[in-house]
Amino acid sequence: MKDMERHLKIHTGDKPHKCEVCGKCFSRKDKLKTHMRCHTGVKPYKCKTCDYAAADSSSLNKHLRIHSDERPFKCQICPYASRNSSQLTVHLRSHTGDAPFQCWLCSAKFKISSDLKRHMRVHSGEKPFKCEFCNVRCTMKGNLKSHIRIKHSGNNFKCPHCDFLGDSKSTLRKHSRLHQSEHPEKCPECSYSCSSKAALRVHERIHCTERPFKCNYCSFDTKQPSNLSKHMKKFHADMLKTEAPERKDTGRQSSRQVTKLDAKKTFHCDICEASFMREDSLRSHKRQHSEYHDSKNSDVTVVQLHLDASKQPAAPLTVGHLQVPLQSSQVSQFSEGRVKIIVGHQVPQTNTIVQAAAAAVNIVPPTLVAQTPEELPGNGRLQILRQVSLIAPPQPSGCPGEAGTLSQPTVLLTTHEQAAGATLQQTLIPTTPAGTQEGTGNQTFIASSGITCSDFEGLNALIQEGTAEVTVVSDGGQSIAVATTAPPIFSSQQELPKQTYSIIHGAAHPALLCPADSIPD
DNA sequence: CGCCCCCTGCTGGCTTTAATCTCAACTG
DNA sequence: CAGTTGAGATTAAAGCCAGCAGGGGGCG
Ligand SMILES: [Zn+2]
Ligand SMILES: [Zn+2]
Ligand SMILES: [Zn+2]
Ligand SMILES: [Zn+2]
Ligand SMILES: [Zn+2]
């Protein structure tokens, strides 16, 4: 009877027990009691084996199975057994092939919801995790962690940009700040500079007549580092005292070896008739085409603009204009490649009113779209210029910003064709005015040609999750310009591993590209 | 009432796997 | 010198699991 009354409260929605601290209401007093422990930190149920403690007995019981290795939930099909029922439920999906969480942008599907959620970041291009020692950014936190372990730990506290050698992680961290917004990698052949060695190597192919690898002991020089070392061994072996490689023979079979078994010459060059055993051989072959034709490989080019959140709070917004890439030696790359621009704002924590900015991309039909779409990844994301950009530039109400532009940030993205007689198309989308209570109510997205509805749905979802960066993906356009009235401070992130480009600011708004550190708080 | 048990949805972290990059060596 | 290849290193992304919070039912 008592139990029935208790049960009926589910249907009436009656929740008489209110938490004094957070205001949350509960239908049952005992639920309120355990809830209170999350405020008080009281955890009466302690594990005798380790220092785990729980606020309720079930959690402890569940935990205890770790120490006893008790796995009561056994799979009927295979030897798998789990410590709790939900894990078994998930496991059973691998027998049935059931994967209920389907990505709406590609064919990927997942057995658990969080994996899908995480997966969606690969579509957004969002890379929230930045290495504090170098310019690497990661989509996944764990990957950044292993990056730091591999690159910046052990006795490996060498600065990637100069000769500095720290004695600990913290000294390297301190030193790394000196390089922020710098372009320490300088091309010896021209005035080009950039922030990563990888980008410099790409650039150097432009100077294809050069032979940058010179022998220190004679006049020999070569284009290829391996040839220099060959030369060194042959003629200056006495100078090379170190090194004794001695490879270990692991039985590891690489995917490339598998490929080799499957078929001969699987990788065909789409420019000439050549075909290759290995994908990376094809890539290196294509570089030959690139050098002759002054057009590089078709890797996605990524330019990421990112706000420095720590500097943001009171920073005045500035009307600005950014143009992305566009050095003459680089432009041609876009004709074969794809461009991805990430514009990021981080919403300052102090600001509760978030005003949405919106953006749209207008598409100039790519002149050189890939002819064989089926070769592209199944999701087709590279074929259409699509999606989206930009978010929620914060508008602190009392901000002493630069003028009335503040109330209506706008974002303009344009693509324009380089060819003669090309048209310049652009779309300018004013955002909704500031001042609404709920940030989420404010977002405006305007579809323009080539942007499908689903893209915006995806964007919306991202935004509602608090994503701070969105992505513009484009194909085949020669250049993309980004202009925005929103951004306070950009620190450019050209150092992404593939090709990288300088961000050239419009002459009218040089302030935009000041190093973040130089802007007063 | 107050405790126990169980379930679900979600988060965050560690582990594993597969793809890709890079280097070095070798060849014609 | 371009093309190949082997193999280790690194990175990107998926797999998996413990924990937390909320919520429902059983029962002394
Ligand atoms: Zn509370
Ligand atoms: Zn324990
Ligand atoms: Zn099984
Ligand atoms: Zn997907
Ligand atoms: Zn790093």
Side-chain angles (χ1 to χ4, degrees), chain A residues 45 58 112 130 295 330 386 432 448 479:
Chain A
Y45 302 89
S58 315
I112 63 179
K130 168 147 185 2
S295 71
Q330 298 172 329
R386 82 153 190 247
T432 55
S448 60
S479 62

Side-chain angles (χ1 to χ4, degrees), chain A residues 271-479:
Chain A
I271 298 170
C272 71
E273 293 304 304
S275 58
F276 301 86
M277 300 294 289
R278 241 166 65 176
E279 198 180 4
D280 51 356
S281 292
L282 173 60
R283 263 195 293 272
S284 96
H285 164 82
K286 281 200 165 188
R287 276 195 281 271
Q288 305 310 314
H289 288 303
S290 301
E291 289 178 4
Y292 293 123
H293 297 147
D294 191 31
S295 71
K296 303 289 180 187
N297 66 52
S298 58
D299 282 340
V300 175
T301 299
V302 178
V303 179
Q304 184 162 358
L305 313 172
H306 190 77
L307 293 188
D308 183 341
S310 65
K311 303 292 182 189
Q312 189 161 342
L317 297 192
T318 314
V319 176
H321 183 86
L322 296 175
Q323 286 186 336
V324 185
L326 313 187
Q327 288 179 1
S328 55
S329 63
Q330 298 172 329
V331 169
S332 63
Q333 297 187 7
F334 292 101
S335 58
E336 245 183 67
R338 298 172 284 268
V339 181
K340 183 175 195 173
I341 297 177
I342 299 173
V343 182
H345 288 258
Q346 289 187 353
V347 179
Q349 301 79 347
T350 54
N351 178 21
T352 52
I353 298 175
V354 174
Q355 178 191 357
V361 183
N362 203 0
I363 295 94
V364 176
T367 51
L368 281 167
V369 189
Q371 277 86 15
T372 52
E374 62 272 17
E375 283 179 14
L376 293 168
N379 57 26
R381 64 189 270 214
L382 299 179
Q383 293 164 2
I384 17 169
L385 182 148
R386 82 153 190 247
Q387 194 191 349
V388 196
S389 159
L390 195 68
I391 301 207
Q395 232 5 271
S397 34
C399 175
E402 296 183 358
T405 55
L406 290 184
S407 62
Q408 279 205 323
T410 51
V411 176
L412 167 64
L413 295 175
T414 60
T415 61
H416 34 102
E417 295 211 13
Q418 193 185 33
T423 55
L424 172 67
Q425 300 182 25
Q426 52 180 234
T427 307
L428 180 62
I429 290 147
T431 59
T432 55
T436 327
Q437 293 290 55
E438 294 293 324
T440 54
N442 257 355
Q443 283 131 10
T444 317
F445 303 107
I446 300 174
S448 60
S449 58
I451 300 179
T452 68
C453 264
S454 63
D455 293 325
F456 284 93
E457 282 162 18
L459 175 61
N460 237 333
L462 286 167
I463 287 167
Q464 271 153 22
E465 288 169 24
T467 301
E469 297 178 357
V470 193
T471 303
V472 180
V473 180
S474 122
D475 245 55
Q478 276 77 13
S479 62

Side-chain angles (χ1 to χ4, degrees), chain A residues 223-239:
Chain A
K223 278 176 79 170
Q224 200 172 308
S226 65
N227 289 333
L228 177 57
S229 62
K230 193 197 283 179
H231 164 86
M232 291 298 287
K233 283 190 182 134
K234 200 166 175 185
F235 296 102
H236 309 293
D238 50 324
M239 300 302 195

Side-chain angles (χ1 to χ4, degrees), chain A residues 47-52 63-64 67:
Chain A
C47 176
K48 287 182 177 131
T49 313
C50 70
D51 54 7
Y52 174 83
H63 167 85
L64 289 175
H67 299 306

Side-chain angles (χ1 to χ4, degrees), chain A residues 29-172:
Chain A
K29 197 176 177 182
D30 55 329
K31 298 301 177 188
L32 173 59
K33 186 178 178 185
T34 50
H35 165 79
M36 285 309 292
R37 289 180 184 146
C38 83
H39 297 305
T40 61
V42 172
K43 294 183 175 181
Y45 302 89
K46 300 188 193 317
C47 176
K48 287 182 177 131
T49 313
C50 70
D51 54 7
Y52 174 83
D56 67 291
S57 60
S58 315
S59 291
L60 177 60
N61 288 341
K62 217 166 120 182
H63 167 85
L64 289 175
R65 292 187 196 132
I66 293 171
H67 299 306
S68 63
D69 199 30
E70 188 190 350
R71 293 169 182 269
F73 303 91
K74 300 187 195 318
C75 177
Q76 304 292 335
I77 300 169
C78 76
Y80 175 88
S82 73
R83 297 193 179 103
N84 65 65
S85 63
S86 41
Q87 274 171 224
L88 179 59
T89 308
V90 170
H91 165 81
L92 288 172
R93 291 180 185 146
S94 58
H95 291 302
T96 63
D98 190 20
F101 302 95
Q102 167 76 248
C103 174
W104 54 91
L105 295 176
C106 75
S107 60
K109 47 187 184 174
F110 301 87
K111 293 201 282 286
I112 63 179
S113 65
S114 59
D115 286 349
L116 172 60
K117 189 174 180 182
R118 184 177 55 182
H119 165 82
M120 293 316 291
R121 282 210 292 260
V122 317
H123 293 304
S124 74
E126 184 195 7
K127 295 190 171 185
F129 305 101
K130 168 147 185 2
C131 178
E132 56 186 326
F133 306 111
C134 70
N135 297 313
V136 165
R137 300 185 73 93
C138 292
T139 308
M140 316 288 169
K141 192 177 183 182
N143 290 341
L144 176 59
K145 203 170 170 182
S146 39
H147 161 82
I148 289 173
R149 180 170 38 78
I150 290 166
K151 296 286 187 180
H152 313 298
S153 68
N155 44 19
N156 189 13
F157 299 109
K158 164 91 176 65
C159 173
H161 303 312
C162 70
D163 289 335
F164 177 83
L165 186 62
D167 57 1
S168 71
K169 212 179 265 191
S170 65
T171 56
L172 177 58

